Amino acid sequence: MIWGQKKTRYDLDKLIYLARVANEPYTLLVAGKSPYKTLKDLQNVSRLTWGSEGIGSGRWLPSFLAAKNLKLGFDVIGGYRGTGESLPGLIRGDFIVWINPADHPSVIPVLKTGDVRCVVHLGVTRAAACPDTPTPKELGHDFALEILRLVAAPPGTPPERVKIMESLLMKAMADEGFIKWTKKSGSLVNPGDGAAARKSFNNLITMAKRERAAMKKALGK
């Protein structure tokens, strides 16, 4: 975006998706000392305080969609500059709920110490870091929310170039050096082709479009 501009100059739905590097499911997290242990516990709170970088930020959208789909009321506690600030804020008790992939290297250590607890894992299958935590579908809510790490090309890119780039990306992600690096760094990857990338994107955009009116209201639009 250009500073001061009210709309983006691109449409994510019109991009040509080439590959998926990863789709990392979010997890609904609370502090280990929190009295809330189940989704039902959270649903009984009229207005949850929910940690985020701020209204309209990258974490706000999946937080909003999670709250709507799980029937949770929430108020944003913002101003945190990413995971490095908001995760300690959750542990301190600055707010009740926060979302982040449970299988992420930043979260796994505090799950092991008990400083943080998983309540609902927002993926299709359970998280390795909290295998006893149910998914939305297991609780009667058929949806998933993920961080999408996709590679795309501009609209109008010639099909032959799309095919070449997709092939090169898949080859790169199958490279032994890349695989070793992901394991060493703890990075979550599950490579997929252009069709897999588009499917992941469509899942998110469908949810966002369904809640468009509610989001506009929340944003005062």
Side-chain angles (χ1 to χ4, degrees):
M1 286 185 71
I2 297 174
W3 180 257
Q5 187 173 316
K6 294 184 178 180
K7 293 185 178 180
T8 55
R9 301 177 68 184
Y10 56 88
D11 185 341
L12 291 174
D13 204 12
K14 293 180 180 179
L15 296 180
I16 300 172
Y17 289 89
L18 303 172
R20 180 192 67 208
V21 179
N23 54 343
E24 303 174 44
Y26 284 102
T27 308
L28 201 65
L29 303 164
V30 298
K33 62 185 178 182
S34 170
Y36 308 109
K37 297 181 179 180
T38 67
L39 175 60
K40 191 66 177 178
D41 291 341
L42 296 177
Q43 289 173 332
N44 287 333
V45 181
S46 59
R47 301 297 297 182
L48 292 166
T49 49
W50 198 303
S52 173
E53 287 73 13
I55 294 176
S57 65
R59 201 184 305 270
W60 180 86
L61 174 60
S63 296
F64 184 90
L65 294 175
K68 288 290 291 183
N69 282 274
L70 294 175
K71 304 185 186 306
L72 300 172
F74 79 104
D75 293 313
V76 172
I77 305 299
Y80 298 90
R81 293 178 295 181
T83 301
E85 290 188 359
S86 48
L87 182 53
L90 175 67
I91 295 170
R92 282 195 306 266
D94 294 359
F95 43 83
I96 297 172
V97 178
W98 184 62
I99 62 168
N100 201 78
D103 290 327
H104 194 273
S106 63
V107 176
I108 291 173
V110 291
L111 285 174
K112 289 181 177 179
T113 60
D115 290 310
V116 168
R117 183 170 61 244
C118 301
V119 179
V120 184
H121 181 60
L122 306 177
V124 176
T125 59
R126 295 191 178 195
C130 44
D132 295 328
T133 299
T135 65
K137 191 168 185 177
E138 291 175 294
L139 297 171
H141 305 274
D142 194 7
F143 75 97
L145 277 170
E146 306 161 322
I147 295 178
L148 302 183
R149 306 196 189 282
L150 312 178
V151 183
T157 301
E160 62 273 16
R161 294 186 184 181
V162 169
K163 187 175 181 180
I164 291 170
M165 288 188 288
E166 180 182 28
S167 176
L168 289 173
L169 285 163
M170 294 303 296
K171 184 178 180 180
M173 290 188 288
D175 179 76
E176 184 178 342
F178 176 77
I179 294 172
K180 284 183 178 179
W181 173 81
T182 59
K183 290 181 178 179
K184 184 178 180 180
S185 66
S187 299
L188 302 175
V189 297
N190 58 333
D193 59 13
R198 168 53 76 170
K199 183 178 180 180
S200 294
F201 172 78
N202 285 346
N203 173 62
L204 177 62
I205 201 66
T206 298
M207 292 181 67
K209 286 180 177 179
R210 188 170 64 237
E211 303 296 345
R212 180 177 292 169
M215 281 192 286
K216 284 186 175 181
K217 183 178 180 180
L219 294 170
K221 300 296 184 180

